[in-house]
Amino acid sequence: EVQLVESGGGLVQAGGSLRLSCVASGINIEDHVIGWFRQAPGKKREGVSCISSRYDKMYYIDSVKGRFTIDSDDANNTVHLQMNSLTPEDTAIYYCAAVSIEYGMGLQDYEYDYWGQGTQVTVSS
């Protein structure tokens, strides 16, 4: 059984930082693309960042470039999302997701097969 478990969310003031973690079991993250998505109230879910540790490639959406960093800890089958300079617009439930690397890298949610339960990130102004 594949499980993705997110942690690290919380309440932070604008300008602050959080580090999200996604621990995978039942899959090897080196064989998968791991993506981070978020969904704010009343908005569609959007892809934020994704990583392939096998090919050492990372993608970010424009609104988080320079503020968010994705990295993988292959030994612990974990992917992190370091989020700095947070703004209230970053408030959302953050999800990690996985898809086999053979399908390529992307940030469309329909491309991903496995999903975590999400972790809430709230940024106060």
Side-chain angles (χ1 to χ4, degrees):
E1 180 188 6
V2 178
Q3 281 193 319
L4 301 174
V5 180
E6 304 96 334
S7 63
L11 173 63
V12 64
Q13 288 189 326
S17 299
L18 286 172
R19 184 171 175 82
L20 305 184
S21 298
C22 172
V23 179
S25 59
I27 59 170
N28 186 335
I29 65 170
E30 292 178 88
D31 298 326
H32 290 76
V33 174
I34 306 298
W36 282 98
F37 293 78
R38 65 186 180 187
Q39 187 165 23
K43 294 188 176 181
K44 291 176 59 177
R45 185 164 54 190
E46 68 170 346
V48 174
S49 179
C50 63
I51 184 169
S52 164
S53 60
R54 179 188 295 182
Y55 298 113
D56 195 26
K57 287 189 175 181
M58 294 79 76
Y59 292 143
Y60 301 91
I61 56 172
D62 288 345
S63 62
V64 307
K65 284 181 181 176
R67 300 189 299 123
F68 290 11
T69 303
I70 192 169
D71 67 88
S72 67
D73 175 358
D74 294 345
N76 290 299
N77 226 29
T78 300
V79 171
H80 301 286
L81 185 69
Q82 177 67 42
M83 307 187 297
N84 299 328
S85 302
L86 286 162
T87 74
E89 288 68 40
D90 296 314
T91 295
I93 299 174
Y94 283 71
Y95 302 88
C96 68
V99 63
S100 173
I101 187 62
E102 66 185 42
Y103 297 115
M105 296 185 70
L107 283 174
Q108 298 298 321
D109 56 4
Y110 59 78
E111 297 173 308
Y112 288 75
D113 295 321
Y114 308 109
W115 290 84
Q117 82 289 348
T119 185
Q120 177 70 49
V121 171
T122 303
V123 184
S124 64
S125 57

